[in-house]
Amino acid sequence: EILEGGELLWLKENKLVDNSFSAPSADGCGGWLFSWAVDPLVNSIVGTPSAAGNNTAILEGENQLANASAVKASE
């Protein structure tokens, strides 16, 4: 839906999906003192590292896009 002479693009009920990213292994969990023990535990629980194509992030919602000239500061 385009409003106000094309200055605002309103995307309703949209879904953005990314399933092509890799997830690195844990690094530094538990601080410098305990990371040697905590990092492997976190990796085993959450399944990291994980190669690209094995992960999915989904953002659902509503977006409003506009040029900077069309944006007004709130008072």
Side-chain angles (χ1 to χ4, degrees):
E1 179 177 345
I2 300 176
L3 304 174
E4 298 189 22
E7 294 177 356
L8 176 66
L9 176 61
W10 194 336
L11 304 172
K12 296 181 179 181
E13 298 180 22
N14 64 69
K15 181 186 284 190
L16 304 173
V17 179
D18 182 358
N19 55 11
S20 64
F21 63 94
S22 62
S25 59
D27 183 26
C29 297
W32 65 271
L33 185 59
F34 297 110
S35 65
W36 64 271
V38 178
D39 287 348
L41 180 62
V42 170
N43 289 332
S44 68
I45 291 171
V46 300
T48 53
S50 181
N54 295 324
N55 312 293
T56 302
I58 301 173
L59 174 64
E60 294 183 31
E62 180 177 298
N63 293 335
Q64 295 180 9
L65 308 171
N67 292 327
S69 61
V71 177
K72 297 178 183 176
S74 60
E75 296 178 17

